[in-house]
Amino acid sequence: MDIQLCKQVVAKAEMFWQIYAIFGFLRLHSMGKIDLITIIIIGANVLVSLKGFNDFSFFEKYKFNIGGIRRGEQVRMFSSGFLHVDQMHLFFNMFTLYFFANPVISHLGTFNFVLVYFGSLIFGNLLSFYFHKDEYHYSAVGASGAVTGILYAAILLNPSMKLYMFFIPIAIPAYLFGIGYLLYSIYGMKRRVGNIGHDAHFGGAIGGYVITLILAPWLFTEHLLMVVLLAIPIVLLYVMRKTGRI
């Protein structure tokens, strides 16, 4: 057996045990706490991402890439949402989804949750395409847009929700986190901070916000203040774009 074949066997074995470990974790923690559709989406992200980790040509073929999309490869707008840069990128996105999926499902149902998730994914990539349409080599991957959409939807549907952040011992209102996160995303888009797709995150939040309001119009009467507050960063981005400040 040559060295290259040995490496392929080891890679496949590692992939199998990574999948087994993640699904084992989900199974142990799913007793009434995680919906089947969430497990399916996390599983799909894990499978596609692990394939991308071990197959460069697969990764390159399905990542978000402006040049590829402008050549007619629109599948990248969807497929890129299942690829990740590395295991930590994958873990944090799926960890966030794990915590915020159920609040959305409990209010909107499974089918509408899927609409919010994939709608946010597309919104995120559309905003990325809008901001980078002339940068033919611009590329990105990750479920962050979809996950941010679910996060924003969860906050909109649960205005009293509070979050505990790492190294901060007190809970903060989730809506403050949501607004602050999008304001930071605007800063990141303007300053090009880090190797992060801030525009995809922001677009995903817009998707989660708009689709949730369409599916749950009762929010305008029961949580109007929250609807207005969460719209502030979206309106700010629009004004900054129109005035040429971003």
Side-chain angles (χ1 to χ4, degrees), residues 27-237:
R27 186 178 178 183
L28 287 171
H29 292 77
S30 65
M31 296 179 291
K33 297 181 180 180
I34 183 169
D35 196 270
L36 176 61
I37 189 61
T38 309
I39 295 176
I40 291 172
I41 290 175
I42 291 176
N45 273 276
V46 170
L47 290 171
V48 176
S49 292
L50 291 177
K51 172 68 174 174
F53 295 159
N54 294 284
D55 188 336
F56 180 75
S57 62
F58 178 86
F59 186 90
E60 289 293 305
K61 182 178 180 180
Y62 292 109
K63 70 180 183 181
F64 180 92
N65 175 261
I66 295 295
I69 293 169
R70 296 193 68 163
R71 288 193 300 270
E73 299 168 9
Q74 274 76 27
V75 67
R76 293 174 182 267
M77 298 285 285
F78 179 80
S79 61
S80 60
F82 291 89
L83 291 167
H84 290 81
V85 173
D86 53 34
Q87 293 175 350
M88 288 303 295
H89 186 206
L90 171 64
F91 172 77
F92 279 115
N93 273 339
M94 297 303 100
F95 192 64
T96 304
L97 178 63
Y98 170 79
F99 277 108
F100 291 99
N102 266 15
V104 178
I105 294 172
S106 65
H107 281 85
L108 301 181
T110 299
F111 180 77
N112 288 338
F113 165 79
V114 172
L115 288 181
V116 174
Y117 183 88
F118 288 107
S120 299
L121 169 61
I122 298 302
F123 262 81
N125 281 338
L126 284 173
L127 193 66
S128 287
F129 185 84
Y130 173 74
F131 275 99
H132 301 282
K133 58 183 177 295
D134 296 322
E135 302 171 39
Y136 278 71
H137 296 292
Y138 179 85
S139 298
V141 293
S144 300
V147 173
T148 306
I150 292 298
L151 170 62
Y152 225 61
I155 295 171
L156 193 58
L157 292 163
N158 300 269
S160 62
M161 181 168 58
K162 295 183 181 295
L163 301 177
Y164 282 93
M165 307 298 295
F166 290 115
F167 309 117
I168 300 178
I170 59 173
I172 63 171
Y175 72 89
L176 289 181
F177 170 81
I179 293 170
Y181 184 77
L182 290 197
L183 292 177
Y184 171 72
S185 294
I186 292 175
Y187 173 79
M189 292 162 67
K190 185 176 177 64
R191 299 294 183 183
R192 302 248 175 158
V193 176
N195 188 27
I196 301 172
H198 296 286
D199 34 35
H201 296 179
F202 202 103
I206 294 174
Y209 179 83
V210 171
I211 298 170
T212 300
L213 289 177
I214 292 172
L215 296 173
W218 52 267
L219 289 168
F220 286 104
T221 55
E222 294 190 20
H223 302 310
L224 180 59
L225 177 60
M226 192 58 54
V227 171
V228 173
L229 287 175
L230 292 176
I232 290 173
I234 299 173
V235 174
L236 178 61
L237 178 65

